[in-house]
Amino acid sequence: MTFPGTRPIHGDAVHLSIDTVPLVFTGAITCQGILEGGRGYVELTLPDADPNHRRALERCTSYSWDLYRDGALLYSSPTLTPSGIMRRTGDGALVVKGSPR
């Protein structure tokens, strides 16, 4: 699949591959394409349940994911290069921003 578009896609599970390490997140998950300065990025919003997952995301050089809802695949990302990670105020969710390689 390609750029997810600017309309949010909501799922309940994501299988994330960080470099070569697989991680699984469950809960309220959203991915959305954003445009900044003429470039396309993808933001993935994850529940922040494990500090080790956040640290792994902060150190990674590439990542990709498959987003699911009720077991059905909604979106499969290309390999992305991380360009930012932040904790959202209020619910503490992680927002990971990346661009295609």
Side-chain angles (χ1 to χ4, degrees):
M1 294 182 183
T2 59
F3 188 73
T6 56
R7 178 177 250 165
I9 303 171
H10 302 281
D12 56 21
V14 68
H15 295 187
L16 186 65
S17 295
I18 299 172
D19 297 324
T20 59
V21 178
L23 298 175
V24 175
F25 290 82
T26 57
I29 300 163
T30 304
C31 79
Q32 180 174 4
I34 57 170
L35 298 172
E36 287 180 1
R39 289 200 58 184
Y41 297 92
V42 180
E43 283 187 346
L44 179 63
T45 304
L46 303 165
D48 188 16
D50 186 342
N52 290 322
H53 292 168
R54 181 180 44 82
R55 284 191 280 279
L57 282 163
E58 289 172 341
R59 291 188 304 263
C60 77
T61 59
S62 66
Y63 67 101
S64 62
W65 76 83
D66 294 325
L67 178 64
Y68 297 89
R69 183 173 51 226
D70 297 327
L73 178 65
L74 299 176
Y75 180 75
S76 184
S77 79
T79 300
L80 301 168
T81 300
S83 58
I85 182 169
M86 65 177 206
R87 183 183 305 270
R88 193 167 61 193
T89 56
D91 62 2
L94 288 178
V95 179
V96 183
K97 181 176 163 184
S99 59
R101 299 179 111 194

